[in-house]
Amino acid sequence: MASSPHSILLQNPNRFFLKTSSPPIFPTNTHLNTLKLPTKPMSIRCAAPTQTQDQRPLIQTQSQDRVFNFAAGPATLPENVLLKAQSELYNWRGSGMSVMEMSHRGKEFLSIIQKAESDLRTLLNIPSEYAILFLQGGATTQFAAIPLNLVKPDDPVDYLVTGSWGDKAFKEAKKFSKAKVIWSGKSDNYTRIPSFEGLEQSPDAKYLHICANETIHGVEFKNYPTSKNGILIADMSSNFCSKPVDVSKFGIIYAGAQKNVGPSGVTIVIIRKDLIGNAQEITPIMLDYKIHADNNSLYNTPPCYCIYMCGLVFEDLLAQGGLEEVEKKNKKKAELLYSAIDLSNGFYRCPVEKSVRSLMNVPFTLEKPELEADFVKEAAKEKMIQLKGHRSVGGMRASIYNAMPLAGVEKLVAFMKDFQARHA
């Protein structure tokens, strides 16, 4: 390579590195670290070898190598969020360390978790009388934590079961309370939500629990019932931050992050403060909301990097214009996909009642079940993955969370039409 007096190329057998005043993203050989560079402005010209897997740019600027990931969770994340995290991975904002290396009690991480909480409050307009907790153990752990913190073993509590996750929550609550199912959609294969007027709530029930969006069955509450005693609890794992929600209607909202707002590993609990501090004596310390609230989610080492990633997602959602704008985009994607299903003359079918179809998780079956394996295989070849339905129900499922771009749904719809044309 021809070079001027101020051009330099550093090379090892696999990568090219530029020695600058900042540390390289990957360690260089020791002899390169001793190299003195001119202090004058310099032009850089690098050889252009044939691209190989090991020689791809360290920061991707285009998404040609990424698939459209329709997984139910862990799920796709916003590409710009991933790129920002990538750029900050080695040295977070001049701190000299990665977020993964920070003390959770140091000023750097405190600024991260505090901003994440502040941005989430802004996104959901969370009142000051609610605490936000960043916990571990997934939403499934909250199935036990909720009754343990809110009621005594002999207290009645009501569960409205519209899918598998609501049923799991009820079964866990039975261990720590007098839980009762006041309505279940199991006999209809979890395809609808009942009229709230007809619900027979237990007169002394301490709370009413719902799953706001059933990930497996694709059933979503479009509005919410009122608990007789004023404490409505919702598992919002798979539609959290997908649309505006009036938090003041709920005693507790909880959600695993890995669907819409981050990677797996962190669970967010939004709880009315007057509900904190009444845990049963048998409650493990890590399930006691008061312990976590009193310690600002820092009683023990939290999932620091996951919280950092959630914070980046919250920033991104705010930059999009907030949840009102996010909901518009989600409705557009869902309408496109459901229309393709409904207009397929029965080749594709969605079993869920139209009024409660999920904007996030779209289950559908093929008229010819024997074609399902080919559908999944051919879609994967077109870089559309994780379309196979949950093992408990079969069929197909497309999860189209916030981070799924419209282009991904458009490509899926085009593929569905082509697949039908070839197999109808």
Side-chain angles (χ1 to χ4, degrees), residues 312-329:
L312 295 185
V313 172
F314 298 153
E315 287 181 4
D316 180 64
L317 295 175
L318 287 170
Q320 292 182 48
L323 299 187
E324 291 83 2
E325 293 301 315
V326 170
E327 182 182 29
K328 291 177 184 177
K329 296 175 183 178

Side-chain angles (χ1 to χ4, degrees), residues 340 384 408-420:
M384 293 176 288
V409 179
E410 290 174 335
K411 183 172 182 178
L412 174 60
V413 167
F415 170 79
M416 290 169 66
K417 291 179 178 178
D418 176 71
F419 188 87
Q420 179 179 355

Side-chain angles (χ1 to χ4, degrees), residues 333-344:
K333 292 183 295 184
E335 288 169 0
L336 181 63
L337 183 50
Y338 283 120
S339 291
I341 293 169
D342 293 339
L343 297 176
S344 68

Side-chain angles (χ1 to χ4, degrees), residues 198-251:
L199 285 178
E200 295 185 8
Q201 298 185 42
S202 303
D204 299 323
K206 299 299 183 181
Y207 64 74
L208 172 63
H209 180 283
I210 65 171
C211 180
N213 184 82
E214 284 284 355
T215 319
I216 294 174
H217 295 90
V219 176
E220 181 176 21
F221 283 79
K222 305 304 179 181
N223 47 58
Y224 304 102
T226 301
S227 172
K228 280 190 174 182
N229 72 354
I231 302 178
L232 177 63
I233 298 175
D235 176 357
M236 292 191 179
S237 292
S238 52
N239 66 348
F240 188 64
C241 286
S242 67
K243 60 183 179 181
V245 172
D246 184 354
V247 174
S248 67
K249 291 183 176 180
F250 299 85

Side-chain angles (χ1 to χ4, degrees), residues 154-332:
D154 291 331
D155 285 341
V157 294
D158 286 346
Y159 279 71
L160 198 167
V161 177
T162 54
S164 294
W165 292 111
D167 185 56
K168 290 177 185 292
F170 159 70
K171 289 176 179 176
E172 189 73 355
K174 284 200 303 180
K175 300 174 184 177
F176 310 108
S177 66
K178 298 297 183 183
K180 176 183 178 182
V181 174
I182 61 169
W183 187 90
S184 172
K186 187 173 183 179
S187 62
D188 296 317
N189 295 317
Y190 297 125
T191 55
R192 68 185 186 93
I193 292 174
S195 168
F196 301 150
E197 290 74 19
L199 285 178
E200 295 185 8
Q201 298 185 42
S202 303
D204 299 323
K206 299 299 183 181
Y207 64 74
L208 172 63
H209 180 283
I210 65 171
C211 180
N213 184 82
E214 284 284 355
T215 319
I216 294 174
H217 295 90
V219 176
E220 181 176 21
F221 283 79
K222 305 304 179 181
N223 47 58
Y224 304 102
T226 301
S227 172
K228 280 190 174 182
N229 72 354
I231 302 178
L232 177 63
I233 298 175
D235 176 357
M236 292 191 179
S237 292
S238 52
N239 66 348
F240 188 64
C241 286
S242 67
K243 60 183 179 181
V245 172
D246 184 354
V247 174
S248 67
K249 291 183 176 180
F250 299 85
I252 298 177
I253 292 171
Y254 65 100
Q258 68 273 13
K259 317 286 189 181
N260 252 332
V261 296
S264 59
V266 61
T267 305
I268 297 169
V269 174
I270 302 170
I271 179 171
R272 215 171 65 204
K273 291 178 180 178
D274 64 296
L275 300 178
I276 297 173
N278 303 298
Q280 296 181 28
E281 289 185 7
I282 65 167
T283 304
I285 196 167
M286 288 304 296
L287 299 189
D288 190 333
Y289 292 145
K290 190 176 190 304
I291 292 292
H292 296 292
D294 288 350
N295 289 276
N296 300 309
S297 301
L298 298 171
Y299 174 73
N300 70 329
T301 306
C304 296
Y305 199 81
C306 296
I307 293 170
Y308 158 74
M309 288 296 296
C310 288
L312 295 185
V313 172
F314 298 153
E315 287 181 4
D316 180 64
L317 295 175
L318 287 170
Q320 292 182 48
L323 299 187
E324 291 83 2
E325 293 301 315
V326 170
E327 182 182 29
K328 291 177 184 177
K329 296 175 183 178
N330 287 332
K331 284 183 175 179
K332 184 175 182 179

